[in-house]
Amino acid sequence: MSDTRGTTKRISAEEIERQKQFCAEIRKMNEGRPGGPPLAYTQTYGCQQNEADSERIRGYLEQMGFGFTTDAEQARIIVINTCAIREHAEQRVFGNVGALVHGKRRHPEQIICLCGCMAQQPRVAQKIRESYRHVDLVFGPHVLWKFPEMIHTLLTRRGRMFLTPDEPGSIAEGIPVVRQDKVKAWVSIMYGCNNFCSYCIVPYVRGRERSRQPEDILSEVEQLVNEGYKDITLLGQNVNSYGRDLDEPTDFATLLEAVNAIPGDFLIRFMTSHPKDATQKLFETMARCKKVAPVLHLPFQAGNDRILRVMNRRHTREQYLEKIRALKALIPDITLTSDIIVGFPGESTEEFEDTLKVLEEVRFDALFTFIFSPRPGTPAAEMADPMPREEKLKNFNRLTALQDAISEEKHAAYIGKTVRCLMDGLSDDARYDLTARTPGNRLVRVTGERSALGQFRDVKITGANKWSLFGELI
Ligand code: 5AD
Ligand code: SF4
């Protein structure tokens, strides 16, 4: 392991204070306006890290004196936080951002911002510069902490701004947040990724791995628990390498143990883990810590060793399976989920079948399955990819059919059991009152009193299908 100690750049408290002063100035400009506070509209694509970033953008917007709207037409400021992981996500963003041109014609004072992982790619920033001239501000994840300053500049001067510096990234503490949910919360523990899996754009757009100080994470979780949050997910592209870059290096298992020691009735989840760094120490910590949910999302991507090598995953299929066996020995009822890519360049159908074998052995509770999408700038985008899309699709359908059957069987085994679940939402399906999650994060549709929202309650499971469970409050 290379020595990364103390390499992380930290944005000073004075800098964040300066940003809050920009918020205060904008707030003053906003206050005198007739018709109440101006409104902001935010839209988020992609992973939970992006959701967490949008919570900080909304935190800043609130300090600037903006209210929020779900109607882009009503908004003075529009922020689109984007994802670059697959081409499909990018196309959706281009379509939706393109459509904003009409609203802007009607409301020329509107400020349209595009941020997140797409924005960080030079090819995207260039396209926005040339063909999406109604977009005023483009900024990458590394400069999110400067959002108030950027908005202040736009409000006080004319012109467009592009801020997408190519840097290893930094850590900024003390940015305000407006959270979407009252029961579940995301807490970023680290940013960036050093793994450079050959298909993945993330290390190019999110920079190098850098960890927050444990005390900052612990005080954020403590505060969330005091506010009544019951389900806390620790976030990072690769949480298993948490702490290596700190002046006083630590590891993820140690952090998990410390979060578990915070008083209160709450569940701890985390994602994402990389198999090569998932250690026996982590598994033992999970087994010992009662607040850590018995669930692990451990992406394996492909079941064939040659493909894993070309993907630069740095583990073999047997090493992966060995870790799963060790984990199941410690936590027999562990819920397991994974990410899989079908149709990686050069993957034959025979090699793909090794992925099916992993499914049969592990019997995951659920999977996130993707067809390979070439990301310009990554090594895999340059690799020969002779398999026709129809054949990839056929393999993809075989994969989902097998997983559907496994999920259905695993869900059926819950019927008749009583499970302590967290009531995490009100149901939008008239036949049920609440949505809930098992400790392993399986979705349960529940009948019972809606006032149970936000509580841990026993649920009698009465039915199941491949997607979810059904039950009644006891
Ligand atoms: N094509 C398809 N899927 C991808 N993923 C990452 N990059 C790509 C790509 N280029 C998937 C991986 C990862 C998940 C977040 O997205 O499975 O674990
Ligand atoms: Fe992408 Fe691999 Fe890093 Fe995950 S571990 S973000 S798949 S490069």
Side-chain angles (χ1 to χ4, degrees), residues 85-86 199-201 297 299 301 339-341 368 370-375:
I85 199 98
R86 281 171 292 275
Y199 49 82
C200 185
I201 194 72
H297 179 63
Q301 313 295 359
D339 292 345
I340 292 173
I341 297 177
F368 301 89
F370 311 103
I371 291 185
F372 170 73
S373 168
R375 304 286 61 220

Side-chain angles (χ1 to χ4, degrees), residues 83-94 373-376:
C83 169
I85 199 98
R86 281 171 292 275
E87 193 182 355
H88 179 69
E90 283 198 0
Q91 282 165 347
R92 269 176 58 214
V93 169
F94 279 125
S373 168
R375 304 286 61 220

Side-chain angles (χ1 to χ4, degrees), residues 85 192-204 209 237-238 272-274 276 299 301 311-313 339 341:
I85 199 98
C193 182
N194 290 353
N195 288 324
F196 290 95
C197 300
S198 63
Y199 49 82
C200 185
I201 194 72
V202 168
Y204 303 87
E209 283 173 4
Q237 244 70 47
N238 178 20
T272 290
S273 301
H274 193 301
K276 77 176 167 51
Q301 313 295 359
M311 284 180 162
N312 193 30
R313 288 291 289 175
D339 292 345
I341 297 177

Side-chain angles (χ1 to χ4, degrees), residues 282-295:
L282 171 68
F283 300 158
E284 285 166 6
T285 307
M286 289 174 69
R288 194 171 55 245
C289 292
K290 292 295 161 242
K291 292 173 197 165
V292 175
V295 51

